[in-house]
Amino acid sequence: MGRFGANPGTTPLDGPEAPAGLVHRYLYTYGPATPQHFAKWLAAPNSWAVSVFAERAGAIEEVAYEGVGPAWLVAGDTDFPAGAARGVRLLPYFDAFAIASQPRERLFPGTAYARALAGGQAGNHPVLLIDGAVAGVWHQRRSGRRIAVTVEPLSPLTAGQLRGLKEQVERVGVVLEGKPELTVGKVTVGPHA
């Protein structure tokens, strides 16, 4: 396969099977989604994405997506949690959820769109996620065992959200095997710092 061959344990899809397999995997991971969301994720033409979705009729199903209109899922993949997403999470640089979830305006509401997206590009800032939406940015700097974690929420945190944030910062310390110290304030470094 050469230098850019497949990863061990994977089998590349051939020709006509590849777009269908890609749509299936994309919708299974990020659905419900529209052909335009898929095209944006893949940096492909909208017209091509629309035709690939049309070719998948029967394998994907149309659903109503609040605030978006019609969107698609893998057929039968409709078992979703009953309630809305809850909780506080610190997502790292280029987290798949922050990069590929659409529509961006719902994931990055209000000031989050300008603050957490670097020129419209997701992933350049690690993000604070509250109840399934981007609610700020964060940065960590290590010095020996000390891990200084600065979190910039875009609106004041409730007592429960602050507790959740402290738990997330403790988790950063466990993962990085260090002693985390939380500062809630302005993140002064730019993207990819």
Side-chain angles (χ1 to χ4, degrees):
M1 287 229 136
R3 184 173 137 173
F4 298 106
N7 291 329
T10 64
T11 303
L13 296 174
D14 288 324
E17 297 173 26
L22 188 59
V23 166
H24 178 88
R25 287 167 177 87
Y26 175 80
L27 289 176
Y28 189 75
T29 304
Y30 300 109
T34 67
Q36 292 74 25
H37 295 150
F38 178 68
K40 184 173 185 173
W41 174 74
L42 197 54
N46 281 335
S47 59
W48 175 82
V50 168
S51 70
V52 171
F53 272 54
E55 291 168 5
R56 300 293 300 144
I60 63 175
E61 65 182 86
E62 185 176 326
V63 295
Y65 187 23
E66 181 185 333
V68 175
W72 284 259
L73 293 168
V74 171
D77 186 26
T78 56
D79 188 21
F80 295 105
R86 295 283 176 232
V88 176
R89 299 288 181 266
L90 292 176
L91 301 184
Y93 287 108
F94 298 102
D95 181 81
F97 179 78
I99 290 175
S101 295
Q102 296 286 336
R104 287 247 169 97
E105 297 78 19
R106 287 185 75 178
L107 181 60
F108 295 85
T111 57
Y113 197 86
R115 181 64 177 109
L117 294 174
Q121 169 85 28
N124 289 310
H125 292 283
V127 296
L128 167 66
L129 198 69
I130 297 179
D131 297 339
V134 174
V137 296
W138 69 284
H139 183 260
Q140 62 93 13
R141 183 173 316 238
R142 185 175 197 123
S143 178
R145 285 201 30 82
R146 180 180 173 266
I147 304 167
V149 178
T150 303
V151 179
E152 179 185 336
L154 299 174
S155 60
L157 299 175
T158 66
Q161 291 168 340
L162 185 56
R163 276 191 306 276
L165 176 58
K166 288 177 180 177
E167 290 170 6
Q168 287 291 290
V169 170
E170 287 300 317
R171 183 75 182 132
V172 168
V174 169
V175 170
L176 297 179
E177 299 177 337
K179 182 176 176 2
E181 297 173 7
L182 171 63
T183 300
V184 176
K186 182 84 171 157
V187 171
T188 57
V189 297
H192 285 290

